[in-house]
Amino acid sequence: MPIYYHISLGDKFNVKKDFSNNLKNGKKLFFAKKNSFWYNFWKKIGKEDIKSYAEYKINIPEKLFTSSFHPKDEKILRITNTNIKEYLETENKVSKLSKLRDITFMRKNNIIGVDLNTQDVLDYPKKHKFQLGKTACEGWLYKFDDIKCVKVGFYKNGV
């Protein structure tokens, strides 16, 4: 079962309780691998700027992942070497807003999240002299069924 992490800034956020409220507002739960760019970025903001954050461990069952852009059942789209070109083509068709961050588009195509936390995504810019950027390796969900989320740490004012 793949393990990811979410950093919630501030000290009053409870992912399980507040996540369903976020969905109504079109917000997503972002996740990253431990010690990745995004994981460290949000931790640093929590420590240095906001002075508090909670760290959550997210276990996503492997059965929820797919490489298809149009799965029959609700799945998390994992970007890998086999579908990265289709991902880039989909993203390039959109001017400012990422289509795969648009919940309406995702719902219509049975995609409940996108996972860019793969080595293929990390290696793509090097192999193809393409600027994907280090910030691309993250993931997001808009639906939380069958996914276990546990608070594993809390930081407040230096502790």
Side-chain angles (χ1 to χ4, degrees):
M1 191 174 315
I3 297 172
Y4 300 99
Y5 291 85
H6 170 75
I7 304 293
S8 288
L9 301 177
D11 58 358
K12 294 183 180 176
F13 191 72
N14 178 328
V15 172
K16 289 181 182 175
K17 180 181 171 193
D18 295 341
F19 188 69
S20 59
N21 292 334
N22 284 350
L23 298 179
K24 293 174 191 167
N25 299 326
K27 296 183 180 177
K28 294 165 278 308
L29 177 72
F30 287 85
F31 61 90
K33 290 197 176 183
K34 194 166 193 163
N35 295 320
S36 67
F37 171 83
W38 282 110
Y39 175 89
N40 292 324
F41 177 79
W42 290 114
K43 264 182 116 165
K44 184 177 180 181
I45 288 174
K47 278 185 179 180
E48 296 176 6
D49 298 332
I50 297 176
K51 307 292 186 212
S52 67
Y53 69 86
E55 180 177 345
Y56 295 86
K57 183 177 179 181
I58 302 169
N59 292 314
I60 304 173
E62 191 65 46
K63 69 180 182 174
L64 287 180
F65 291 99
T66 184
S67 60
S68 170
F69 278 75
H70 305 283
K72 290 181 182 178
D73 298 322
E74 292 182 328
K75 300 280 184 173
I76 298 167
L77 173 62
R78 180 178 277 159
I79 306 302
T80 63
N81 202 29
T82 59
N83 65 3
I84 196 166
K85 286 183 182 179
E86 186 177 358
Y87 166 75
L88 293 171
E89 287 170 8
T90 302
E91 295 299 279
N92 288 335
K93 290 178 185 173
V94 181
S95 56
K96 288 186 179 180
L97 183 63
S98 167
K99 200 168 231 176
L100 287 171
R101 288 186 189 231
D102 176 14
I103 291 177
T104 305
F105 173 83
M106 292 170 68
R107 279 189 182 128
K108 192 167 46 172
N109 290 288
N110 282 330
I111 299 171
I112 61 170
V114 176
D115 181 14
L116 290 161
N117 291 285
T118 64
Q119 194 61 45
D120 294 326
V121 173
L122 278 172
D123 292 341
Y124 192 84
K126 298 173 205 164
K127 288 180 182 175
H128 300 278
K129 297 180 182 160
F130 180 80
Q131 185 61 38
L132 201 66
K134 64 182 175 183
T135 60
C137 298
E138 61 176 337
W140 55 92
L141 298 164
Y142 81 84
K143 198 166 181 185
F144 215 57
D145 300 340
D146 298 328
I147 296 170
K148 294 180 183 174
C149 185
V150 179
K151 187 184 281 187
V152 293
F154 183 75
Y155 176 90
K156 187 168 184 173
N157 295 327
V159 181

